[in-house]
Amino acid sequence: MIAKVKSCGLMGVDGFIVDVEVDISNGLPSFDIVGLPDVAVREAKERVRAAIKNCNLEFPVKRITINLAPAHIKKEGPCFDLPISIATLIASEQIKIDDIDRYMFIGELSLSGELRPISGVLPIAITAYKNGIEKIILPAQNAYEAAVVKGLQVYPAYNLYDIVTHLTGEKKLDTFYVDVDSFFLPNNKYDIDFSDVKGQENVKRALEVAAAGGHNCLMIGPPGSGKTMIAKRLPTILPDMSFEEALEVTKIHSIAGLVPQNMPLITTRPFRSPHHTISNASLVGGGKIPKPGEISLAHFGVLFLDELPEFKKDVLEVMRQPLEDGVVTISRVNATLTYPCNCMLIVSMNPCKCGFYGDKTKECTCTPLQIQQYLGKVSGPLLDRIDIHVEVSPVKYKNLESSERPESSKDIKLRVDKARKIQLERYKDCKIFSNSQLQPSHINMFCQLGSEEKKLLKMAFDKLGLSARAHNRILKVARTIADLDGSNDIKSYHLAEAIQYRSLDRKFWK
């Protein structure tokens, strides 16, 4: 007898329907799985055999053939254990059910028949809903995540026997429901705040501009000046995530197995801060089974690289194209996967190995050659992709002892939100959402300058020796500063501030 049940595989951040077909016929006992399975899928036959027997069900001692269709796409992971076992029980006539096409099955089985959680449940649930499947049966630990998809009936189960009794009608499983809107209720989502930062008003202003336009930012200064402290507080002033953004971010984290069980939907902007020993594949994604890297895990959030020159040069250079395109494409023999990586890049660094080059209070002990070699680890093309460069000076004692409370993240966020709303309205027909995403054609349309502003920009362009990319990025930043000021036109002082944020690479990288 032949039986067929629905399951799902993953390709990048999206799922695809897999038909698990089982044929049981007379002949020498065997258990074969075809349809381009990987090692974990081929090993399912031993887990399925033991799970069925240990749930007091009968495993057919016949010739069993499993086909995972479509056969030309590689199937990976242990998530097909449950659909294979259910299809086997239907084919052996131990289960009779008429509406099996309304169900999707997903989950890993232990030898005792218990269901174990899997990764990538959210994109699987979304795929089920988009393909008209009404019900999904999956491990109980994954139910919270799948229930985020409205309109899909989620049935959590702890073992194979519970699913069999549900399908036969002996004892129905309870559906699982979660109130998605409750995750977006206003509350204090952060334990840190910009009011913790004493002094450094120029740096906080630069990060406010970066947040308002989604710009990349470089902070350079001596050790202990507060670069890391300020960077960690950047998510507190970024706009709140929409449901669509939260869904896309959670999909990426779900595939990486990083979604917390008590919070199935990630509603705060990601902040990723990898160590400088990170590899190329860990940063942009890859591996034998390609997984999203840190730059994709920071999608719609912040990727913070502390002590930038300590990273391997090839690791930094591999970021150049993803930063420009907003996506990472990983090519392998079996497939080409694309992961989104539309994130803000925030980097910090010392001006030299000892950290005190250019400091007025401490003398630098590095030779000119050592300084040149240290700064040379950061290439010009990468610097060109960073819109804002800001120098971080040591905090003065009077600022540390001041009783005046600095501006809070809430106050700064109000201005950022206002600027972002202006941009959303301006670019509603252009399929972009912030000034950092402006293309050359958009710059000509939305960043027009007056005669005085053109003279100022020409003078800066000639004096600083700016590249064409730097020219465009100055205009983008100036557009953001004008939005923060509530101005429709870019004025000279908006442009002057934007030029100031591009002068440091000429000071340190001569």
Side-chain angles (χ1 to χ4, degrees):
M1 181 178 175
I2 295 179
K4 183 174 75 171
V5 301
K6 299 284 186 183
S7 189
C8 188
L10 291 173
M11 182 174 287
V13 293
D14 299 312
F16 60 94
I17 295 294
V18 175
D19 291 324
V20 180
E21 302 170 329
V22 176
D23 175 67
I24 299 179
S25 58
N26 295 325
L28 290 174
S30 64
F31 196 156
D32 298 314
I33 301 178
V34 297
L36 215 58
D38 72 346
V39 175
V41 179
R42 285 197 296 269
E43 290 175 346
K45 55 187 178 183
E46 302 302 332
R47 293 191 293 270
V48 168
R49 190 196 313 270
I52 289 176
K53 287 182 177 179
N54 289 322
C55 287
N56 297 321
L57 298 165
E58 182 182 345
F59 185 82
V61 187
K62 294 185 176 183
R63 183 178 180 85
I64 303 173
T65 304
I66 311 289
N67 180 43
L68 306 177
H72 67 284
I73 302 176
K74 192 172 182 64
K75 320 301 184 306
E76 298 169 341
C79 60
F80 298 104
D81 292 4
L82 179 58
I84 289 174
S85 61
I86 294 297
T88 302
L89 293 171
I90 294 174
S92 61
E93 300 183 340
Q94 297 180 65
I95 300 176
K96 292 182 179 179
I97 180 169
D98 297 328
D99 61 346
I100 195 67
D101 288 338
R102 298 170 63 192
Y103 283 91
M104 175 181 282
F105 299 89
I106 202 83
E108 177 186 348
L109 286 173
S110 69
L111 299 182
S112 64
E114 293 182 354
L115 284 170
R116 289 177 173 163
I118 60 169
S119 300
V121 168
L122 181 57
I124 288 172
I126 293 172
T127 302
Y129 178 74
K130 287 183 177 179
N131 285 272
I133 297 172
E134 302 170 15
K135 306 174 183 180
I136 182 169
I137 297 181
L138 74 177
Q141 296 93 324
N142 293 128
Y144 215 5
E145 188 178 337
V148 168
V149 182
K150 296 179 180 179
L152 186 67
Q153 297 178 41
V154 177
Y155 292 91
Y158 289 95
N159 57 63
L160 178 60
Y161 187 76
D162 290 344
I163 298 172
V164 173
T165 57
H166 170 82
L167 295 175
T168 56
E170 294 178 33
K171 185 181 179 182
K172 291 289 185 179
L173 293 170
D174 294 328
T175 56
F176 189 85
Y177 171 77
V178 63
D179 183 10
V180 176
D181 296 332
S182 64
F183 299 128
F184 293 91
L185 293 176
N187 52 48
N188 188 12
K189 299 178 180 179
Y190 300 98
D191 299 325
I192 54 179
D193 195 276
F194 261 97
S195 60
D196 303 330
V197 182
K198 299 285 184 75
Q200 305 295 14
E201 299 303 326
N202 65 316
V203 186
K204 288 191 277 188
R205 167 63 179 178
L207 286 190
E208 179 183 339
V209 174
H215 303 289
N216 302 329
C217 181
L218 163 69
M219 295 181 286
I220 182 168
S225 54
K227 301 185 295 293
T228 304
M229 181 181 184
I230 295 171
K232 287 182 176 178
R233 282 154 178 77
L234 179 59
T236 66
I237 64 172
L238 290 175
D240 295 330
M241 293 179 74
S242 64
F243 177 73
E244 290 75 17
E245 288 178 327
L247 211 57
E248 194 165 343
V249 169
T250 308
K251 281 170 63 176
I252 299 170
H253 283 71
S254 177
I255 290 166
L258 298 177
V259 178
Q261 288 190 4
N262 60 341
M263 183 58 71
L265 194 65
I266 297 173
T267 58
T268 56
R269 301 273 175 186
F271 181 86
R272 306 293 300 184
S273 180
H275 193 259
H276 62 257
T277 56
I278 192 171
S279 66
N280 294 14
S282 298
L283 184 63
V284 299
K288 188 175 181 181
I289 301 175
K291 295 293 182 184
E294 290 289 337
I295 196 169
S296 293
L297 293 171
H299 185 51
F300 289 139
V302 177
L303 176 65
F304 176 53
L305 303 184
D306 201 3
E307 304 297 343
L308 186 66
E310 299 299 331
F311 286 79
K312 297 176 184 176
K313 191 163 186 177
D314 59 329
V315 172
L316 296 179
E317 295 306 306
V318 82
M319 289 195 304
R320 282 160 53 177
Q321 186 174 350
L323 286 175
E324 200 77 18
D325 299 341
V327 293
V328 175
T329 302
I330 305 168
S331 297
R332 293 293 182 267
V333 174
N334 296 318
T336 298
L337 305 180
T338 299
Y339 291 112
C341 61
N342 183 14
C343 65
M344 289 177 61
L345 176 66
I346 307 297
V347 299
S348 71
M349 60 179 290
N350 298 330
C352 65
K353 195 73 175 176
C354 77
F356 297 105
Y357 173 57
D359 193 345
K360 297 178 181 178
T361 58
K362 292 187 180 181
E363 186 177 351
C364 175
T365 59
C366 302
T367 65
L369 180 60
Q370 288 175 326
I371 295 171
Q372 184 182 359
Q373 289 175 340
Y374 186 77
L375 295 174
K377 294 180 180 179
V378 184
S379 68
L382 181 61
L383 282 172
D384 265 354
R385 286 168 170 81
I386 300 176
D387 303 350
I388 297 174
H389 306 164
V390 60
E391 189 169 8
V392 186
S393 304
V395 183
K396 296 180 180 179
Y397 180 78
K398 65 177 184 179
N399 290 327
L400 292 174
E401 287 298 310
S402 174
S403 59
E404 184 179 350
R405 183 173 174 83
E407 196 172 25
S408 68
S409 294
K410 183 179 179 181
D411 296 331
I412 300 173
K413 186 175 180 297
L414 289 174
R415 297 195 295 269
V416 171
D417 287 343
K418 185 178 178 181
R420 284 290 183 110
K421 286 179 181 178
I422 292 172
Q423 293 166 48
L424 287 173
E425 181 63 27
R426 181 191 297 131
Y427 307 132
K428 61 183 178 181
D429 298 325
C430 300
K431 296 183 180 180
I432 57 176
F433 307 101
S434 65
N435 291 329
S436 63
Q437 297 174 316
L438 288 171
Q439 299 299 318
S441 59
H442 300 138
I443 291 175
N444 295 332
M445 189 184 307
F446 300 112
C447 300
Q448 295 181 356
L449 302 178
S451 57
E452 289 186 15
E453 288 76 22
K454 286 181 179 178
K455 289 179 183 178
L456 176 61
L457 186 57
K458 182 181 183 301
M459 183 173 63
F461 193 85
D462 295 338
K463 188 174 182 180
L464 298 175
L466 300 173
S467 67
R469 182 183 284 116
H471 170 271
N472 287 349
R473 292 186 183 276
I474 285 175
L475 291 176
K476 293 180 187 181
V477 174
R479 179 67 269 170
T480 300
I481 296 170
D483 290 340
L484 281 169
D485 199 28
S487 172
N488 291 326
D489 301 321
I490 298 175
K491 305 295 185 183
S492 296
Y493 54 91
H494 300 145
L495 194 60
E497 184 178 353
I499 293 170
Q500 172 194 327
Y501 292 137
R502 292 296 311 191
S503 59
L504 284 187
D505 53 339
R506 305 309 164 200
K507 175 180 177 181
F508 291 99
W509 286 271
K510 296 179 182 177

